[in-house]
């Protein structure tokens, strides 16, 4: 759903997003933002003309990352060392072989490791002797050896899958875990089991990001007017633009300073319909976010907006804006984070995936740009588990298509 008019802040952030990434084109950025390519090009041209935008950054030098040694590499090195030792000693007595084998398998007691040892040393000592000393079945060893081509084929397929997974993982800034990676692979036409994806990711050391410890920003106002709880912890909606939740979260920048982000999240499609970033926590922060959602949606008349008991949401000014827009206010119990869990979960994901373990952004500009980039990707491309691993925009489009087909 494209906007009919774009606020100056949206235009400035769109220009900054294009200029910040040397690999992005007008077409790719415009597609993510849901705007026309020529519109974005005109915004950039105007920004350069009035001196508010510089040149596009040069691309960074890429480095090839080397992963950790695989277990097969480690095992092969140990096998070479042991084989050299056995040849040096010119076929010692069986008790010496057993002693060296015991040392070899000191930390690896699996049957497959014993088969590998027999296979690696069968020319030096013979399969019969080695199987007898290591107490493994010769027929089992030969069956294992016969299956080697199939194992090699599976290993090659897993290696190819690991490369695809790495590409997806990198494309989403290392934030996707196995469920979203599986959904992305299936969307690309790959028929793959989620357990296999999890196994390959685990063996390759590919992991998604985990939640950081939450810091509470709600400052309750004891003298506010009473507002009912119209959500009752039911964070669903029958259709988009019916029920919203919102919250304020802090964005740490510079030397102990903060920006603050107010959000308006649609429970029907999980789309972030409105947001506002400022260096203060005054009521204007949340009213700007609500007005932005109204501009995106065209109207919020009759919709529910649910929040916590922060002073900004309980103020008379916010109530006035809600009445002006036809929005019904809703609030949970005081001091109960579970009553606004959907909004808090969204903020936690945003900060986890943009900061990626860092304590703060170097500057306010970089914080704004990172958040704007993430929100754009969240709405247009990031797969949401509650939506059957569709992005919010794709889910809304499917909803529109179903309505049109039913009409």
């Amino acid at each position: 759903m494209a906007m009919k008019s774009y606020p100056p802040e949206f235009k400035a952030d769109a220009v900054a997003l294009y200029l910040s990434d040397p690999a992005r084109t007008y077409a790719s950025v415009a597609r993510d933002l849901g705007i026309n390519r020529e519109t974005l090009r005109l915004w950039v041209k105007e920004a350069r003309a009035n001196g508010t935008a510089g040149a596009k950054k040069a691309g960074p030098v890429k480095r090839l990352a080397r992963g950790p040694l695989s277990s097969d590499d480690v095992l092969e090195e140990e096998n070479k060392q042991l084989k050299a030792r056995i040849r040096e000693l010119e076929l010692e007595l069986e008790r010496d072989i057993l002693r060296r084998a015991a040392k070899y398998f000191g930390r690896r007691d699996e049957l497959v490791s014993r088969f590998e040892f027999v296979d690696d040393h069968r020319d030096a000592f013979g399969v019969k002797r080695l199987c007898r000393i290591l107490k493994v079945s010769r027929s089992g060893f030969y069956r294992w050896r016969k299956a080697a081509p199939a194992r090699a084929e599976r290993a090659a397929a897993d290696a190819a899958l690991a490369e695809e997974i790495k590409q997806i993982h990198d494309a989403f800034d290392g934030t996707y875990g196995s469920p979203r990676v599986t959904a992305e692979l299936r969307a690309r036409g790959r028929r793959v089991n989620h357990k296999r994806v999890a196994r390959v990711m685990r063996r390759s050391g590919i992991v998604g990001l985990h939640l950081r410890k939450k810091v509470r920003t709600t400052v309750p106002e004891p003298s506010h007017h009473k507002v009912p709880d119209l959500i009752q912890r039911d964070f669903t909606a029958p259709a988009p633009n019916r029920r919203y939740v919102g919250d304020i979260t802090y964005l740490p920048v510079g030397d102990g300073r903060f920006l603050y982000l107010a959000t308006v999240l649609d429970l029907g499609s999980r789309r972030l319909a409105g947001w506002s970033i400022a260096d203060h926590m005054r009521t204007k922060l949340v009213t700007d976010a609500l007005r932005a959602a109204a501009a995106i949606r065209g109207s919020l008349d009759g919709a529910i907006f649910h929040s916590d008991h922060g002073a900004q949401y309980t103020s008379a000014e916010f109530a006035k804006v809600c009445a002006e827009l036809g929005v019904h206010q809703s609030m949970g119990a005081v001091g109960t984070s579970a009553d606004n869990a959907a909004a808090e979960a969204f903020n936690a994901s945003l900060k986890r995936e943009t900061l990626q373990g860092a304590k703060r952004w170097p500057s306010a500009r970089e914080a704004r740009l990172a958040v704007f980039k993430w929100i754009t990707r969240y709405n247009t491309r990031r797969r949401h588990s509650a939506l059957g691993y569709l992005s919010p925009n794709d889910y809304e489009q499917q909803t529109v298509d179903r309505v049109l087909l039913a009409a």
Side-chain angles (χ1 to χ4, degrees), residues 354-399:
T354 51
L355 282 170
Q356 297 199 14
K359 292 184 177 180
R360 60 187 68 253
W361 284 279
S363 68
R365 181 183 181 279
E366 291 184 62
R368 289 181 60 93
L369 189 59
V371 170
F372 181 75
K373 180 180 179 181
W374 187 90
I375 289 173
T376 298
R377 187 171 65 193
Y378 171 88
N379 280 337
T380 60
R381 296 177 57 200
R382 188 180 184 276
R383 299 183 181 277
H384 202 295
S385 57
L387 306 177
Y389 289 103
L390 294 173
S391 70
N393 281 12
D394 287 342
Y395 181 83
E396 288 193 359
Q397 186 58 53
Q398 283 196 5
T399 302

Side-chain angles (χ1 to χ4, degrees), residues 163-205:
E163 286 302 314
E164 280 192 77
I165 291 172
K166 287 177 183 176
Q167 292 175 7
I168 294 172
H169 197 251
D170 292 342
F172 288 89
D173 298 332
T175 60
Y176 270 17
S178 59
R180 286 192 173 89
V181 169
T182 303
E184 188 70 25
L185 286 167
R186 289 173 178 172
R188 296 182 180 189
R190 286 274 269 157
R191 299 183 63 182
V192 61
N193 184 277
H194 69 94
K195 293 182 179 179
R196 183 186 176 201
V197 173
R199 172 174 56 80
V200 171
M201 290 182 67
R202 184 168 57 252
R203 289 184 176 179
S204 302

Side-chain angles (χ1 to χ4, degrees), residues 1-209:
M1 298 182 184
M3 295 171 58
K4 295 182 179 180
S5 61
Y6 301 88
E9 183 178 88
F10 182 94
K11 294 181 180 180
D13 285 338
V15 171
L17 179 60
Y18 167 75
L19 295 177
S20 68
D21 191 345
R24 300 297 299 274
T25 63
Y26 283 117
S28 66
V29 174
R31 182 173 60 252
D32 284 351
L33 294 177
I35 62 176
N36 184 274
R37 173 189 177 278
E38 287 303 308
T39 300
L40 177 60
R41 188 188 66 80
L42 181 61
W43 290 351
V44 174
K45 182 178 180 181
E46 291 174 350
R48 284 173 172 164
N50 61 31
T52 59
K56 193 172 178 69
K57 288 186 177 179
V61 178
K62 294 185 178 179
R63 298 187 301 170
L64 293 175
R66 296 186 60 188
L69 289 176
S70 68
S71 58
D72 288 342
D73 293 334
V74 175
L75 185 59
E76 181 180 357
E77 184 62 27
E78 291 179 351
N79 286 342
K80 288 180 181 179
Q81 294 175 7
L82 184 55
K83 185 178 288 188
R85 177 61 177 161
I86 292 174
R87 288 173 179 170
E88 275 183 16
L89 297 175
E90 296 180 350
L91 304 177
E92 279 190 353
L93 297 174
E94 289 184 359
R95 65 176 181 272
D96 295 324
I97 295 174
L98 185 59
R99 172 171 52 84
R100 287 163 179 77
K103 181 179 180 181
Y104 184 86
F105 296 117
R107 294 182 299 275
R108 295 176 57 87
D109 198 29
E110 298 87 353
L111 181 61
V112 66
S113 300
R114 297 174 184 267
F115 285 161
E116 287 173 351
F117 183 88
V118 174
D119 195 38
D120 288 340
H121 299 88
R122 59 193 173 88
D123 293 336
F125 299 106
V127 172
K128 182 178 179 180
R129 173 193 281 179
L130 290 171
C131 287
R132 178 174 57 83
I133 294 173
L134 297 177
K135 297 181 180 180
V136 296
S137 165
R138 269 190 293 165
S139 60
F141 165 72
Y142 285 120
R143 284 196 301 271
W144 174 85
R145 197 159 180 266
K146 185 178 180 180
R151 286 198 305 276
E153 184 178 348
R154 286 196 300 270
D158 282 351
L161 178 61
E163 286 302 314
E164 280 192 77
I165 291 172
K166 287 177 183 176
Q167 292 175 7
I168 294 172
H169 197 251
D170 292 342
F172 288 89
D173 298 332
T175 60
Y176 270 17
S178 59
R180 286 192 173 89
V181 169
T182 303
E184 188 70 25
L185 286 167
R186 289 173 178 172
R188 296 182 180 189
R190 286 274 269 157
R191 299 183 63 182
V192 61
N193 184 277
H194 69 94
K195 293 182 179 179
R196 183 186 176 201
V197 173
R199 172 174 56 80
V200 171
M201 290 182 67
R202 184 168 57 252
R203 289 184 176 179
S204 302
I206 304 172
V207 294
L209 289 177

Side-chain angles (χ1 to χ4, degrees), residues 257-287:
R257 295 180 296 112
F258 296 95
L259 291 178
Y260 300 94
L261 169 68
T263 55
V264 180
L265 184 70
D266 192 320
L267 291 177
S269 64
R270 290 303 194 272
R271 179 180 180 180
L272 188 67
W275 72 92
S276 178
I277 299 177
D279 58 0
H280 61 80
M281 289 180 65
R282 296 189 292 275
T283 303
K284 189 176 187 302
L285 177 68
V286 295
T287 57

